[in-house]
Amino acid sequence: QVQLVESGGGLVQAGDSLRLSCAASGRTFNLYLMGWFRQAPGKERESVASITRIGANTYYADSVKGRFTVSRDSAKNTVYLQMNSLKPEDTAVYYCAAGRYAAAVPQYDYWGQGTQVTVSS
């Protein structure tokens, strides 16, 4: 069982930066693929970024490439999402999730409660 708690959301202006954190409980943090997702009002949840168990590989949605960076600190059981050059269209509730690959497909078993990010123009 893994519990995830996100923090770091807030209200910022376009062009600003935010860093989201996701603290994981338990001793098995290093076993999990970690992902960041977001859901804007009236839209489906979308994958934003992910990072493999030892941080060797990362994935980014095209919409955030070059602006967002995902990282993890195993000593702190925490995964981060550094968001730079924020745009109004980045406004959403951001969730972190812990999972694994099943037949090369990422599957997420545990989810945090979400943190709101609002970017004003």
Side-chain angles (χ1 to χ4, degrees):
Q1 189 80 8
V2 176
Q3 292 185 329
L4 305 171
V5 179
E6 302 99 333
S7 61
L11 172 63
V12 297
Q13 293 186 333
D16 286 350
S17 298
L18 276 176
R19 188 177 79 159
L20 304 183
S21 300
C22 173
S25 64
R27 300 179 180 178
T28 58
F29 175 73
N30 288 338
L31 299 180
Y32 289 96
L33 167 72
M34 299 299 296
W36 284 98
F37 294 78
R38 67 187 181 186
Q39 187 166 21
K43 295 187 177 181
E44 293 187 354
R45 184 175 62 196
E46 63 174 342
S47 175
V48 174
S50 64
I51 185 166
T52 52
R53 291 182 296 172
I54 59 173
N57 292 297
T58 56
Y59 155 85
Y60 296 96
D62 287 343
S63 58
V64 306
K65 278 181 183 176
R67 300 188 298 122
F68 290 13
T69 303
V70 60
S71 62
R72 64 192 298 163
D73 185 334
S74 297
K76 297 182 178 180
N77 277 12
T78 300
V79 63
Y80 303 99
L81 185 67
Q82 177 66 44
M83 305 186 295
N84 298 330
S85 302
L86 283 161
K87 304 175 181 180
E89 51 263 44
D90 295 318
T91 295
V93 177
Y94 284 71
Y95 300 89
C96 73
R100 54 190 162 74
Y101 281 102
V105 177
Q107 295 189 355
Y108 292 93
D109 303 308
Y110 304 100
W111 293 82
Q113 83 289 348
T115 186
Q116 177 71 46
V117 172
T118 303
V119 185
S120 64
S121 58

